[in-house]
Amino acid sequence: MQKIYISELANYVGQEITIQGWLYNKRSSGKLRFLVLRDGSGYLQCVYFKGNVTPEIFELCDKIGQESAIEVTGKVKAEPRAVGGYELDATNLNVLHETHDYPITPKDHGIEFLMDNRHLWLRSSRQVAIMKIRHRIVKAIRDFFDDRGFTLMDAPILTPAACEGTSTLFETEYFDLGKAYLTQSGQLYAEAGALALGKVYTFGPTFRAEKSKTRRHLTEFWMVEPEVAFADLNDDMDLAEEFLEYIVQTVLTDRAEELKTLERDVTKLQNVKRPFPRISYDEAVEILKKNGVEFEYGNDLGAADETIVSNQFDRPVMVHRYPSEVKAFYMKRDPENPKLALAVDVLAPEGYGEIIGGSQREDSLDLLLARIKEHNLPQAAFEWYLDLRRFGSVPHAGFGLGLERTVTWICGLDHLRETIPFPRMIYRNTP
Ligand code: 4AD
Ligand code: MG
């Protein structure tokens, strides 16, 4: 018997085939038993009619529990009313692993229970849809850069120094060499890459010992970081908006079914087209004041502030030129106003907050040295990074996109924890 996947059913209408998978749910009605099978590629209703199968098989249909591993055989029928558009006129059932009392049932479970059972929860249709969208976003990210002459150049995970402030560093002993830190960002290495290869990107896990419990923070998350030589802040913003438009439009086209499963309002995503509004930090502060927020000029925007600003627009908004005091040491100052950094944050619509942080980098050796001192960073650990300003220094810029924040927004979820297979948060490092 031909063994196929549910996703291939269209090619087998009228033929007899076998599919291996798990029992998703079932119901019965008189002489009929309906088993819904899932195999990772889709869902298929298998119809067992008492007159068509042996009594043993008909009994098995009643006996097996949710998530039993099974092999079904039957004839494929087009059935527009069924899930996926096909149905199986089943003739055989082979139970590979009989299961009873599967802990996750169609009833409501609390979130902590589901998180404790994350290894099983991943089998539910909603989680499968999220994982498929995450995967499509990852592929869109790679395709976007690969098709535009970028070279993937991954950064190390064990690093000798901080990149994004010392308050969120995970520390570990490193043999005889003292302390090492889990990377907060691959950026510093991407800069070395940009001066070697022109346009590069890093894409991998990054770590922040975030001490607050929020919907937007994981301690381990994935970041993609492009870095471009001979580029300024405007080039950086051009790249960021083209990139986001590409990701969102690709997912809308290729993962429509999964977005439907999640009941995502896709009209909001359809707006994500260039050009995106670009406003300065000063203009963002004006918006906050107009909305009655008591905001102290010079502070960073908090989550609530970001929501108010982004709610003024129907697509992502780029906020540029923040006070340099609230931004990282490596950002170049605005020559027109040295109190400002040539930074940009991209805020997603619908209150999803910052998904991209980027900047033009300080390319002067003297100014960068001064920043390292101001930030009390250990100069010795940054000597290699300073070399990039000693030898062939050029204007360069880049940004980092948080993968899980992007998945959260595109899927329309209210917490990051469902967007990564096994989330790591301040209060959870299992399963
Ligand atoms: O704004 P961040 O801290 O920027 C950087 O790390 C730069 N070095 C990037 C660069 O210019 N190459 O982080 C970038 C993005 C944020 O906009 C957010 O989407 C995500 O990374 N992010 C987090 N996502 C989940 N959990 C956390 N704790 C995150 N911290 C940052
Ligand atoms: Mg940021």
Side-chain angles (χ1 to χ4, degrees):
M1 196 63 58
Q2 175 99 23
K3 212 167 78 181
I4 68 161
Y5 285 99
I6 292 172
S7 58
E8 302 167 326
L9 283 169
N11 306 324
Y12 294 90
V13 176
Q15 297 181 43
E16 189 147 14
I17 50 91
T18 292
I19 298 179
Q20 297 177 320
W22 297 265
L23 180 62
Y24 195 63
N25 59 46
K26 61 176 185 178
R27 64 193 170 85
S28 63
S29 154
K31 292 180 175 165
L32 292 168
R33 297 291 178 269
F34 302 93
L35 306 187
V36 176
L37 178 76
R38 60 165 195 91
D39 74 346
S41 81
Y43 300 85
L44 173 64
Q45 174 157 282
C46 309
V47 185
Y48 288 83
F49 174 58
K50 200 168 185 176
N52 281 352
V53 294
T54 64
E56 290 76 24
I57 287 178
F58 202 71
E59 244 169 66
L60 263 183
C61 288
D62 287 330
K63 206 171 135 228
I64 59 174
Q66 187 190 342
E67 287 304 311
S68 291
I70 55 178
E71 188 176 73
V72 301
T73 298
K75 201 173 183 184
V76 182
K77 212 172 81 179
E79 175 49 76
R81 287 167 304 173
V83 288
Y86 300 93
E87 209 171 63
L88 198 73
D89 260 337
T91 51
N92 202 3
L93 172 65
N94 191 7
V95 178
L96 308 173
H97 185 262
E98 189 172 326
T99 292
H100 295 282
D101 304 321
Y102 183 69
I104 303 177
T105 57
K107 71 161 195 182
D108 266 347
H109 297 283
I111 185 68
E112 287 310 313
F113 176 84
L114 291 171
M115 291 306 290
D116 287 341
N117 287 284
R118 181 66 175 163
H119 50 295
L120 301 177
W121 190 26
L122 285 169
R123 302 181 189 189
S124 79
S125 59
R126 179 182 154 87
Q127 300 307 314
V128 166
I130 296 170
M131 288 304 127
K132 290 200 171 185
I133 291 171
R134 176 187 167 103
H135 174 225
R136 191 63 191 85
I137 292 172
V138 168
K139 181 168 155 48
I141 288 170
R142 293 185 183 281
D143 288 347
F144 179 86
F145 291 120
D146 294 348
D147 292 347
R148 284 164 183 77
F150 285 72
T151 301
L152 173 68
M153 203 195 85
D154 287 315
I157 284 177
L158 288 165
T159 63
C163 175
E164 296 297 327
T166 47
S167 67
T168 61
L169 277 177
F170 277 112
E171 198 177 277
T172 180
E173 293 301 324
Y174 197 82
F175 305 107
D176 295 337
L177 299 180
K179 301 243 181 286
Y181 308 95
L182 294 183
T183 187
Q184 298 168 306
S185 155
Q187 179 197 318
L188 306 186
Y189 297 94
E191 288 183 53
L195 300 198
L197 293 143
K199 296 195 272 189
V200 297
Y201 68 105
T202 70
F203 193 8
T206 47
F207 304 86
R208 307 261 171 111
E210 299 282 359
K211 275 140 204 137
S212 54
K213 186 173 160 177
T214 83
R215 296 181 295 135
R216 292 184 183 175
H217 291 92
L218 297 167
T219 55
E220 176 178 331
F221 62 100
W222 281 62
M223 197 178 354
V224 56
E225 298 180 85
E227 190 72 30
V228 182
F230 304 103
D232 62 15
L233 180 64
N234 278 330
D235 298 324
D236 209 31
M237 292 197 272
D238 290 346
L239 184 68
E241 68 178 359
E242 187 186 356
F243 179 52
L244 282 178
E245 175 186 284
Y246 178 80
I247 293 173
V248 171
Q249 298 305 322
T250 302
V251 173
L252 277 174
T253 310
D254 287 2
R255 289 292 175 272
E257 196 58 43
E258 286 75 11
L259 291 170
K260 212 162 105 193
T261 301
L262 299 174
E263 295 171 3
R264 179 67 166 113
D265 177 0
V266 291
T267 57
K268 299 261 166 58
L269 296 174
Q270 283 156 356
N271 292 336
V272 182
K273 294 255 172 73
R274 283 173 289 171
F276 297 171
R278 299 179 186 196
I279 64 171
S280 64
Y281 169 87
D282 286 21
E283 290 169 301
V285 172
E286 281 309 306
I287 290 175
L288 291 175
K289 294 213 163 125
K290 262 189 215 138
N291 283 273
V293 182
E294 277 181 41
F295 185 84
E296 196 179 322
Y297 186 94
N299 284 350
D300 205 352
L301 302 184
D305 305 321
E306 288 178 352
T307 301
I308 291 168
V309 172
S310 66
N311 277 347
Q312 315 299 311
F313 306 97
D314 68 347
R315 62 199 69 201
V317 54
M318 306 205 261
V319 183
H320 55 80
R321 293 180 171 77
Y322 284 71
S324 47
E325 245 131 71
V326 298
K327 288 295 181 187
F329 76 96
Y330 53 71
M331 292 184 179
K332 192 176 175 65
R333 302 283 170 103
D334 186 350
E336 316 228 308
N337 179 356
K339 288 205 165 76
L340 301 177
L342 292 175
V344 59
D345 277 1
V346 184
L347 311 182
E350 303 172 74
Y352 282 98
E354 178 199 333
I355 46 171
I356 283 182
S359 69
Q360 187 171 336
R361 320 306 188 188
E362 184 50 73
D363 49 19
S364 143
L365 177 64
D366 292 341
L367 293 179
L368 187 58
L369 259 172
R371 292 292 112 71
I372 287 176
K373 291 200 179 107
E374 274 167 35
H375 285 253
N376 284 320
L377 294 167
Q379 190 185 321
F382 288 93
E383 280 303 329
W384 70 270
Y385 185 64
L386 290 162
D387 268 355
L388 307 178
R389 279 74 181 167
R390 291 187 181 108
F391 307 108
S393 186
V394 298
H396 61 289
F399 61 78
L401 169 92
L403 176 63
E404 289 75 19
R405 294 232 186 131
T406 306
V407 178
T408 304
W409 162 47
I410 293 180
C411 290
L413 310 177
D414 48 44
H415 200 296
L416 250 66
R417 65 190 159 210
E418 286 179 72
T419 62
I420 187 164
F422 295 96
R424 297 292 175 250
M425 293 167 283
I426 183 169
Y427 51 92
R428 177 176 291 281
N429 63 1
T430 55

